[in-house]
Amino acid sequence: LLPIGPDHGPEDVVLDDRGRIYAATAGGHILRLAPDGTDPKVWAVPGGRPLGIAFDRAGNLIVADAYRGLLAVDTDANVRELVTRVDGVPLGYVNNVDVGSSGRIYFSDASRRFSARELGTYPASLLDLMEHRRSGRLLMHEPATGHTEVLLEGLSFANGVAVAPDEAFVLIAETGEYRVWRHWLTGPERGRSEPLIEALPGFPDNLTTGLDGRFWIGLISPRNRMLDALSERPMLRKMVQRLPAAVRPKAEAYGHVIAIDRDGRVTHDLQDPAGGYPLVTSVTETADYLYLGSLIAPAIARLPWQPDQPDL
């Protein structure tokens, strides 16, 4: 475990070209740690709730801020807004982000019905998953022109985003349907979307592009029997939403991450039923380690790792 000081909830973790470790936290900070995982310091304060983070080719940290929208933080930690509205309507819950080899930025707007700023990220996510109205979207921002377009909509809590290294396609996690979509960006299938992997055993959160063509999925919690049982009963779902918070469905601390190839085949499946590192949201792969993010943990987890090793 790499402690992050008084903060908690390192939702997403990335490394820069010097090996320094960055994390977006529940306290609203972007932390930076030394390459050995020591000396955590507040590096930037976006002013909202940063979730997904990714570096662009110029070294700017692109931030999916649930409250403010899509942001960029330069190398001096100055924050600027990239996208706050699409077609004149404010973004409701910017969730995750990735940057393609072209410099284009792909990001998710998890819900258009429940505002993260007004309700908080966790309450808004629970309400959206319970209502199951599919208002999430995948978007693309072109920095050169400032244009932003919707690539895919009608998703039940749009979450993790990962772009293929050749930018042939982009993946988007649909948390409420336990699946990952592939949206084609080039070739004869350009503009078409299809499920890449379905019937996942838990709620997919962030997606990241790993090594050797792998894509990692953090499964924040196992599937909830109550939610599954109510999947075709919207009236009962609305009733459950109105129950006291103490008895509503909750995320379960069960550590689970998987890796898939570009065809959706599972290549690695790592599990910790004891939930020693709880509510895993993200995975970042290097040649030596897997770095894990969490919704609530007071530390980043770092797992020794070799890309060609079998499951642990």
Side-chain angles (χ1 to χ4, degrees):
L1 297 178
L2 309 179
I4 57 174
D7 222 324
H8 71 284
E11 166 86 13
D12 202 6
V13 180
V14 296
L15 280 69
D16 67 12
D17 56 7
R18 295 170 56 184
R20 294 176 296 187
I21 305 161
Y22 297 74
T25 72
H29 305 132
I30 304 292
L31 303 183
R32 185 167 72 186
L33 291 72
D36 64 358
T38 63
D39 196 27
K41 286 185 169 58
V42 174
W43 175 69
V45 182
R49 174 46 171 120
L51 295 174
I53 50 178
F55 280 105
D56 69 9
R57 295 180 299 175
N60 300 302
L61 188 67
I62 308 303
V63 180
D65 190 297
Y67 297 172
R68 294 190 60 189
L70 189 69
L71 311 176
V73 186
D74 67 18
T75 54
D76 293 321
N78 299 306
V79 180
R80 63 187 175 93
E81 295 179 342
L82 295 178
V83 186
T84 61
R85 294 171 173 263
V86 174
D87 297 329
V89 179
L91 294 166
Y93 194 137
V94 176
N95 197 328
N96 199 227
V97 64
D98 199 8
V99 181
S101 56
S102 67
R104 296 185 182 95
I105 300 169
Y106 301 87
F107 65 102
S108 57
D109 186 17
S111 174
R112 301 180 70 185
R113 292 186 55 78
F114 298 101
S115 166
R117 177 188 287 273
E118 294 175 4
L119 299 170
T121 52
Y122 190 58
S125 67
L126 291 180
L127 287 168
D128 191 88
L129 290 168
M130 286 299 304
E131 188 181 76
H132 214 65
R133 289 282 294 272
R134 298 182 175 90
S135 66
R137 302 178 292 175
L138 169 66
L139 303 101
M140 184 277 290
H141 175 69
E142 176 59 79
T145 64
H147 175 68
T148 302
E149 67 176 281
V150 178
L151 300 180
L152 183 62
E153 54 189 343
L155 300 174
S156 178
F157 203 75
N159 205 325
V161 177
V163 186
D166 60 1
E167 209 166 343
F169 59 83
V170 57
L171 304 183
I172 175 79
E174 186 179 17
T175 302
E177 293 290 348
Y178 312 108
R179 63 187 172 191
V180 174
W181 287 84
R182 175 168 55 189
H183 179 82
W184 289 97
L185 301 170
T186 63
E189 302 295 332
R190 181 180 179 183
R192 191 170 73 85
S193 304
E194 62 196 4
L196 182 64
I197 184 169
E198 299 186 272
L200 289 166
F203 293 94
D205 202 297
N206 291 349
L207 303 179
T208 51
T209 304
L211 304 179
D212 301 325
R214 280 183 291 277
F215 297 93
W216 287 93
I217 306 172
L219 298 172
I220 191 169
S221 174
R223 294 174 69 142
N224 183 281
R225 291 183 179 180
M226 178 186 293
L227 287 180
D228 284 352
L230 298 177
S231 61
E232 302 301 328
R233 308 182 75 175
M235 185 57 68
L236 286 179
R237 278 179 173 263
K238 289 183 179 181
M239 292 173 63
V240 171
Q241 285 183 52
R242 288 159 176 77
L243 292 173
V247 295
R248 291 182 204 149
K250 296 180 180 63
E252 178 185 343
Y254 183 110
H256 197 175
V257 303
I258 65 173
I260 60 174
D261 64 19
R262 63 187 292 129
D263 295 315
R265 292 185 292 260
V266 175
T267 61
H268 294 82
D269 183 354
L270 311 181
Q271 301 187 39
D272 174 18
Y277 188 72
L279 307 192
V280 176
T281 52
S282 64
V283 187
T284 297
E285 180 184 9
T286 71
D288 301 308
Y289 297 104
L290 295 180
Y291 293 83
L292 307 182
S294 166
L295 188 67
I296 62 172
I300 298 165
R302 185 168 67 182
L303 178 70
W305 171 257
Q306 294 298 322
D308 58 351
Q309 73 184 54
D311 289 0
L312 301 182

